[in-house]
Amino acid sequence: MHRHLIDDATFTTAQNLLAERGSDKAACRSNSYDYLLTRLLVCRLCGKRYVGASAHGRYARYEYYVCHSRQKYGTTGCTADRLPARELEEAVIDAIGSVFSDLDFVERAFTTAAERTQEVSGQSQEELNQVEAELKKTESAIDRYLAAFEDGSMSSAQCGPRLEQLSGRLRQLQSRRDEIADLDRQQANEPDPERIASLRFDLSLALSQGEAPTVKTVLRELVDSIDVHDHRLVRPRFRIPGAVRTHSSLAVPTGFEPVSPP
Ligand SMILES: [Zn+2]
C-alpha cells in the first residue's frame, strides 16, 4: 500500500481492516487441526505413511493418525494402531526436547554415524565397479536383442519378454548405482551445536505461539522419520544438524492407548 496516496485516517482504517481480516483467517485456520507429524510417521507393519484423520464422536471430535493402508482398506489393509494426534505429537516433541538438549547424545550419535559412513565408502567403491560392469553387459544384451529384432532374425514374441526382463534389470542397476554415488557424497561434518540450539529455540518459540507451519518446518529439520511400531512404541530417527543425513533413533514410550473412533 502506498502510504502517500491516501490520508492518514484512511490508512489507519485500512490497516485495521487488514489486521482484522488476518485474524479472522487465523481463527478460521485454528478450527481445522494441524497434523504436525504428517509425512514423518511410517508404519512398521506395512511400510506406508501414517495420515491425519478425524472423526466426530457424540460429544467431541477425535483427531488421530492412521496408517494409510488402514485408512484406505480398513483392517484388511493393515492392522496398525490408530494413534491419538495430540498425545503422539506431545510425546515426539518431548523426545526432541530431551535428545537435543543432551549434547553427549548428539556427539555419540555423530561418532557412530561417521564410523559407519567410512566403512560404507570403502565397500561402496568395490560394489560400484561391479554394478557398472553389469550395467555395461545388460546394455549390450539389450542392443543385441534389438538388433536381432530389427534384422528380422527374432520375432517380437521371442525378444519381447527377454527385453522386458533386461530393461527391468537395467533400471535396478541404475538406481543402485545412484544410491551408491549418493552414499559417497555423504560427507560427515561436525555436528553443529549452535544450529541445534537455535532450532530448539525456534521449536519452542513456534510451539508457544502456536505456529503450526513453523513447528512443521523445524520438526522436519530435526526428525528424519518416525517408525510407528504400535501404540506403545514409536521410534523417531533424528537428524543431527551439521552432520549431513546423520541420524540416530530413540524409542519413545508413549503411555497412551490406541484410539477407536466411532
Ligand atoms: Zn500399515
Side-chain angles (χ1 to χ4, degrees):
M1 188 169 297
H2 297 285
R3 180 149 195 193
H4 301 294
L5 295 181
I6 47 175
D7 62 84
D8 276 359
T10 317
F11 180 71
T12 312
T13 315
Q15 265 188 326
N16 289 342
L17 276 174
L18 284 172
E20 250 171 61
R21 197 181 305 155
S23 65
D24 274 358
K25 250 195 210 155
C28 202
R29 261 202 308 276
S30 70
N31 284 337
S32 65
Y33 191 81
D34 278 305
Y35 295 88
L36 299 176
L37 304 178
T38 38
R39 293 206 270 162
L40 288 176
L41 298 164
V42 180
C43 174
R44 285 289 290 187
L45 286 183
C46 73
K48 284 272 158 52
R49 305 260 159 193
Y50 264 65
V51 293
S54 69
H56 287 280
R58 191 189 288 235
Y59 303 109
R61 220 168 101 105
Y62 297 80
E63 275 90 18
Y64 58 98
Y65 289 99
V66 57
C67 159
H68 180 257
S69 309
R70 180 163 181 179
Q71 170 82 335
K72 204 158 179 201
Y73 307 107
T75 43
T76 332
C78 185
T79 55
D81 287 338
R82 289 174 292 201
L83 306 174
R86 204 174 295 276
E87 284 92 329
L88 180 61
E89 288 162 4
E90 278 168 12
V92 168
I93 287 164
D94 271 2
I96 290 174
S98 52
V99 161
F100 287 102
S101 60
D102 179 359
L103 279 182
D104 276 354
F105 175 91
V106 174
E107 289 284 346
R108 271 199 311 279
F110 170 75
T111 314
T112 320
E115 282 166 5
R116 208 172 43 222
T117 310
Q118 230 165 16
E119 215 174 279
V120 167
S121 76
Q123 293 165 357
S124 66
Q125 191 53 48
E126 209 173 303
E127 199 195 342
L128 190 61
N129 295 342
Q130 283 171 3
V131 168
E132 271 170 354
E134 210 186 323
L135 259 173
K136 262 193 200 138
K137 267 195 240 166
T138 312
E139 276 165 344
S140 61
I142 289 177
D143 287 346
R144 279 198 305 279
Y145 276 96
L146 284 175
F149 172 65
E150 271 170 0
D151 69 18
S153 57
M154 272 181 102
S155 70
S156 71
Q158 281 172 308
C159 49
R162 185 67 188 129
L163 270 174
E164 215 167 277
Q165 224 177 13
L166 283 167
S167 35
R169 182 69 189 138
L170 190 72
R171 278 194 299 275
Q172 270 177 4
L173 288 166
Q174 281 164 342
S175 73
R176 185 62 195 145
R177 181 191 56 195
D178 295 345
E179 266 172 30
I180 300 172
D182 217 27
L183 272 178
D184 244 23
R185 273 197 293 273
Q186 287 184 26
Q187 288 295 321
N189 301 328
E190 291 295 321
D192 182 347
E194 267 177 37
R195 180 81 189 126
I196 292 170
S198 96
L199 280 169
R200 280 187 59 220
F201 179 76
D202 289 351
L203 182 63
S204 52
L205 190 69
L207 283 170
S208 68
Q209 295 177 343
E211 288 173 4
T214 319
V215 175
K216 280 189 200 174
T217 309
V218 179
L219 280 176
R220 258 177 234 139
E221 203 159 337
L222 292 174
V223 180
D224 180 67
S225 60
I226 305 166
D227 285 347
V228 179
H229 293 255
D230 56 34
H231 69 275
R232 289 179 307 267
L233 179 64
V234 296
R235 195 181 266 277
R237 293 159 68 85
F238 298 104
R239 296 174 193 270
I240 314 288
V244 178
R245 286 224 216 157
T246 309
H247 46 236
S248 188
S249 73
L250 177 84
V252 177
T254 59
F256 50 71
E257 290 301 306
V259 291
S260 348

